[in-house]
Structure formats: C-alpha cells, structure tokens
Amino acid sequence: MSESVEKIRVEVELDKTELERLVVVGGDLEFLISLPRDRLLNHTEVRICAAVLRRLIVDNQLNQTWRALDGFKVAPPSVEATDIDGPLANWDQSWVRYAWAGGATTNQAHHRGFIFAVIPKAVNDRYSSPDELFEARRLSGIAEIRAMTFDHWQRSTSVAIQVEKIGLIKVSRATVVKYLANRKGGVHFDPSRNVLQAGKRGRREVEMSLLDHGLLRVGHLNGPEFEIASMVQAIAGTWWAPEIVRLAHELASEDFNGDPHELQLWTGLQEADGSGWAAMRFDQPES
C-alpha cells in the first residue's frame, strides 16, 4: 500500500482448525502472489483464481484467518483497487451503457475504470465542447485507485450494465467471483440460467446472465475474466498477503518446507526423534 505500515510482531497460538485454515489461506495467497504480472493470465489460471477468491471472499476464510491471527487488533485488511462507484455517481444513470473496474496492469492490454456512456444530443448541444460538458457536469471517465477495507472492496462495483426497463445494474466484485467460480468452471460449470425468477434469486440470475454478455475484451480475456485478474493483483499487492504467507510457513513449516527427498512413515513408536515418525531419505542420484 502507499501509506507506511508499522509492523508489529505478535505471538500467535492457533487451535487445530485455525491452523488448518491458515495453511489453506496462506497457500492460496502464496499462489496469487506467485502469478505473473508481465502477461495476461490464461483462462485456466483465471478459473483457478476464481475458486481461490471464492474461498477467501465468499466463504469468508480470509477474514476468519485474520481474526484468528488477531489482525483486527491492528487493522482490518485493506485493498487498493479501482473505484468506479465514485465516477458513476456523477453520471446520469440512464446515460451509462456499461462500466468495468478492471485495474490489472501488464505489459500487454489492460484498462482501469472503463465507462461507456451515450449523452443525449439535446444535452450535448448546450455546450461548446465535450470538455466544457464534462467540466460543467463534473463527469469523469477515469476511475481512481483508492484504499478500501477488504469487506468494502468485495461489495464495491466491479461492473455496471444498463438493462432496458430496469436501469443500471451494478454487479459487485463478490458476485463476479461467484459467477466465474460457480457458473464458468472455477469450481463447476453450470450453463443453466433462469432469469424469470422473482426476488433476490431472480436478481442474482439477471446479474449472471448479464455477465454472460462480456461486453468488453482485454486481449484473450473477456470482461469478467479480466475483473478476476484485477482482483488477484489487488490482493497480491497488499502488505498483509505476504505476512499471512510468512506466518503459515512459520507455524506449519512441514506443510510448506518439507524435504522432497524425504519419506516419512508414521509408526506410533518413539523413534529416534521422539515423534513417532520414521524417516527414509532418497538422495538425488549423481549425474
């Protein structure tokens, strides 16, 4: 993050369930951090990331791990990401056709805060130039990067799409994660849609159906896929992600730093190291 962070070392004691969750979350974050930033992710990487993000966001595993580590005593986890809710608030909602937050940067195609809108001719004709119109109405097509708490970030708008007779529908980042994970192969593939349902479930089906349209492509990735890639970079760029990874390595070393040349067998007997495990070593053959 841009602001300085005071590092505080705390003694952490975790029960078996909390330690198991730390291994999962730490491994997930380590995977996200390891992904390349000099190219666009491929489709399979995006699907895998959607499953990881579902665990961290939708299943609330990140917050539960942070709480177990007493992180909330220091600060809630925060993320620096593209904010399109701010720019969208100044637009007449009926003018906006669609908008995408984006934000992932590579040496290839990318975007940050894309708003596609159509201004009525009667409004446009009142001004001598587009610049005058934008200045007078405080319009902006550029979204800023700003810090948000993790909870606010997942609820913030990832994509907004205009729907006839309904208006501008804003889809949260958490919903995009569920779409890629639950509908597009991140966890399972589900091509079924039923947009005629009523209530909250009907709203969710409408959002899923809208995301099917894509409306934007960044290189080989469609709009929702690029949103996932952007979320990955936002999390990987935090100060707390590598800190959780470090703690996972420290508290569950055997789950991350095991010797690949060693085979351990549980015997139940008090072997040489007193643990009940016997070890066999397979040294790499000389070339």
Side-chain angles (χ1 to χ4, degrees), residues 126-176:
R126 298 174 197 165
Y127 302 92
S128 60
S129 69
D131 288 342
E132 183 183 344
L133 185 155
F134 270 62
E135 183 176 352
R137 289 180 170 260
R138 299 173 58 192
L139 301 179
S140 175
I142 301 175
E144 294 184 355
I145 299 290
R146 72 181 186 90
M148 315 176 194
T149 64
F150 190 77
D151 288 342
H152 180 197
W153 173 70
Q154 61 175 291
R155 294 192 304 267
S156 62
T157 302
S158 182
V159 53
I161 301 174
Q162 189 73 230
V163 178
E164 188 177 359
K165 297 181 180 179
I166 296 179
L168 190 67
I169 291 183
K170 297 178 180 179
V171 182
S172 71
R173 286 179 162 102
T175 298
V176 173

Side-chain angles (χ1 to χ4, degrees), residues 112-235:
R112 187 185 81 196
F114 184 91
I115 299 176
F116 176 62
V118 177
I119 299 173
K121 184 176 184 300
V123 175
N124 183 70
D125 288 347
R126 298 174 197 165
Y127 302 92
S128 60
S129 69
D131 288 342
E132 183 183 344
L133 185 155
F134 270 62
E135 183 176 352
R137 289 180 170 260
R138 299 173 58 192
L139 301 179
S140 175
I142 301 175
E144 294 184 355
I145 299 290
R146 72 181 186 90
M148 315 176 194
T149 64
F150 190 77
D151 288 342
H152 180 197
W153 173 70
Q154 61 175 291
R155 294 192 304 267
S156 62
T157 302
S158 182
V159 53
I161 301 174
Q162 189 73 230
V163 178
E164 188 177 359
K165 297 181 180 179
I166 296 179
L168 190 67
I169 291 183
K170 297 178 180 179
V171 182
S172 71
R173 286 179 162 102
T175 298
V176 173
V177 168
K178 287 185 278 189
Y179 169 76
L180 260 297
N182 300 344
R183 297 295 180 91
K184 303 299 285 186
V187 176
H188 56 82
F189 180 64
D190 179 13
S192 63
R193 300 291 185 275
N194 183 4
V195 298
L196 299 180
Q197 296 184 70
K200 290 183 178 179
R201 180 171 293 184
R203 167 63 184 246
R204 183 170 67 245
E205 292 298 326
V206 168
E207 291 175 341
M208 298 292 178
S209 179
L210 289 174
L211 292 173
D212 282 335
H213 293 291
L215 299 177
L216 183 101
R217 294 198 71 89
V218 183
H220 57 272
L221 299 180
N222 61 36
E225 289 174 324
F226 189 73
E227 291 300 306
I228 293 293
S230 299
M231 294 180 216
V232 167
Q233 282 198 10
I235 290 178

Side-chain angles (χ1 to χ4, degrees), residues 41-102:
L41 301 182
N42 61 44
H43 297 295
T44 299
E45 288 170 331
V46 167
R47 288 193 293 269
I48 293 171
C49 287
V52 168
L53 291 173
R54 192 182 81 158
R55 274 194 298 279
L56 296 176
I57 295 174
V58 180
D59 297 340
N60 203 35
Q61 296 303 299
L62 186 278
N63 272 341
Q64 290 188 54
T65 296
W66 193 248
R67 187 171 292 107
L69 296 172
D70 285 336
F72 283 102
K73 292 182 179 178
V74 180
S78 59
V79 176
E80 288 192 342
T82 308
D83 169 36
I84 59 172
D85 285 308
L88 282 175
N90 289 331
W91 283 86
D92 185 312
Q93 302 296 280
S94 66
W95 297 356
V96 178
R97 292 296 172 261
Y98 55 84
W100 297 82

